[in-house]
Amino acid sequence: MIYAKCCLVDFSIVNLHLPQTDILSETSQKGILKINAGHARPGRLTSYDVYSPVFGRINIILCLLDVVHNRVAQKTMKIALVIIGLIYSSFCLGQDESSKLKIYSDFINAEIREYDSIFENTTEIVFLSSVEKFDSSIDLQYLKDYLSGNIENNNFYKEYFDHEPTQYFDLPPTFGLGKTIKEDAELGELLVDLIEYKKFNQVDLDMINNVAYGTKIIKKPKRYFKMGREKFRKKFDNAYGIMMFSDIIFNESKDRAIFYVEQYRGSLDATGDIIVMQKKSDKWTIETHINQWMS
């Protein structure tokens, strides 16, 4: 057996386990299956067992053409096999990836709906981008020591706090987090996982659907920041602004998720927050915002 990756371009990577054969050669950087039909035997039936995380085992049987030695036929065979790979990859979208898209959509809808209600605004479009990493305002070692029961040996705790260690989590900008951390150990573990991320995986924002507003994916958000509020609002009158998302981390039961988001709505109207969402009846609702910075 050989191991290859196949994906719908820039969308979701799935795992394919394929029998060893000369037809399959290598995997490109984006995960699209590369086909080499030059050594295929004319008229041979070739069977592929595809193990999908969604549908289990799928069997593909291909009959290779008698004319594979002809260059035109080789190209045709390559195209046919790539198309088959892409079709099956679209069916194999993993559960985690589907949940992530649903979380992003539900968050965008809830956040904009609340913003429009408060400011009597009518949003028509929101700009979306990715965050690769962030520097949390929460000290990771302090959080780990608190969760492990080793806080008495933490130097920061010994120097600044004389009795209740959760007081640290109530300091700005994470006001009120202390009580939550004390009662919710799982949230603490999720925070550790998020903060420990060295570099987030690329977020496939192109696949976001079920958003009640128009969306525009931007790869280079900095050029929009340079416009300034007046120019941005003049050009995009009914735009909410820019949301920049990190990858999402789930708890073990997959009914709770955490991620980081930056929102830029204009001059002196921007925030960076850790978002915790909970799944209830197939809908993801915002459980809490943990602020990291604002301007």
Side-chain angles (χ1 to χ4, degrees):
M1 299 287 282
I2 63 171
Y3 179 84
K5 284 185 178 178
C6 181
C7 77
L8 194 58
V9 184
D10 278 329
F11 290 172
S12 174
I13 294 179
V14 300
N15 297 327
L16 304 181
H17 294 272
L18 305 173
Q20 179 68 50
T21 171
D22 290 337
I23 297 174
L24 304 175
S25 60
E26 58 181 300
T27 309
S28 73
Q29 213 173 26
K30 288 193 175 185
I32 301 174
L33 200 61
K34 295 292 187 180
I35 305 299
N36 178 10
H39 302 292
R41 295 179 183 177
R44 185 178 68 181
L45 285 175
T46 304
S47 175
Y48 294 92
D49 287 325
V50 178
Y51 295 88
S52 160
V54 180
F55 298 101
R57 179 179 177 182
I58 305 170
N59 187 265
I60 309 172
I61 298 178
L62 302 176
C63 181
L64 305 181
L65 302 178
D66 288 332
V67 290
V68 292
H69 293 294
N70 181 282
R71 285 190 175 183
V72 175
Q74 289 180 17
K75 291 181 180 179
T76 303
M77 182 61 67
K78 289 181 181 182
I79 293 171
L81 293 175
V82 169
I83 290 173
I84 290 172
L86 293 177
I87 290 173
Y88 275 92
S89 72
S90 67
F91 284 112
C92 296
L93 190 67
Q95 183 179 357
D96 280 2
E97 296 302 315
S98 298
S99 295
K100 287 179 183 181
L101 298 176
K102 185 73 166 62
I103 289 167
Y104 290 134
S105 298
D106 288 348
F107 174 80
I108 292 168
N109 288 333
E111 200 77 352
I112 296 179
R113 184 166 56 247
E114 182 180 10
Y115 183 85
D116 283 356
S117 175
I118 294 173
F119 296 98
E120 299 181 352
N121 192 41
T122 305
T123 294
E124 294 181 1
I125 189 171
V126 56
F127 294 83
L128 306 176
S129 192
S130 301
V131 172
E132 289 188 350
K133 60 181 181 178
F134 82 104
D135 295 319
S136 175
S137 65
I138 301 171
D139 183 81
L140 180 59
Q141 190 57 53
Y142 190 98
L143 178 58
K144 283 184 172 182
D145 286 342
Y146 173 75
L147 294 173
S148 65
N150 192 42
I151 195 65
E152 298 291 338
N153 296 318
N154 184 277
N155 291 330
F156 187 78
Y157 170 75
K158 288 190 290 186
E159 186 173 353
Y160 293 101
F161 301 100
D162 56 358
H163 57 289
E164 178 51 61
T166 56
Q167 286 181 337
Y168 165 76
F169 302 109
D170 291 327
L171 297 174
T174 57
F175 298 101
L177 182 61
K179 185 175 185 294
T180 305
I181 289 288
K182 188 174 184 178
E183 298 174 352
D184 190 347
E186 183 182 70
L187 174 58
E189 296 296 341
L190 285 171
L191 282 169
V192 168
D193 291 342
L194 183 72
I195 297 169
E196 277 191 324
Y197 246 73
K198 300 300 180 184
K199 187 175 182 181
F200 292 111
N201 297 326
Q202 188 66 31
V203 177
D204 294 320
L205 297 169
D206 302 88
M207 286 289 282
I208 289 181
N209 51 24
N210 296 323
V211 176
Y213 312 90
T215 59
K216 180 178 175 61
I217 312 302
I218 54 176
K219 303 298 183 184
K220 298 179 180 180
K222 287 184 179 180
R223 69 186 185 91
Y224 290 85
F225 300 154
K226 293 178 181 179
M227 287 184 183
R229 179 180 173 84
E230 289 187 12
K231 189 175 181 180
F232 181 86
R233 289 299 175 190
K234 186 176 181 180
K235 189 172 183 178
F236 308 106
D237 184 36
N238 292 317
Y240 171 81
I242 302 171
M243 288 186 179
M244 299 175 63
F245 293 99
S246 77
D247 198 1
I248 294 173
I249 295 173
F250 294 95
N251 64 350
E252 288 187 10
S253 56
K254 306 291 184 182
D255 60 359
R256 213 171 181 198
I258 191 169
F259 60 93
Y260 173 71
V261 61
E262 293 181 357
Q263 301 188 64
Y264 299 89
R265 293 170 292 266
S267 179
L268 299 179
D269 189 7
T271 59
D273 296 279
I274 293 172
I275 305 297
V276 182
M277 296 188 72
Q278 192 169 26
K279 188 178 183 180
K280 294 180 179 178
S281 303
D282 201 39
K283 184 177 181 181
W284 288 89
T285 58
I286 300 173
E287 185 179 324
T288 186
H289 291 68
I290 304 173
N291 185 246
Q292 298 296 283
W293 60 267
M294 65 175 62
S295 69

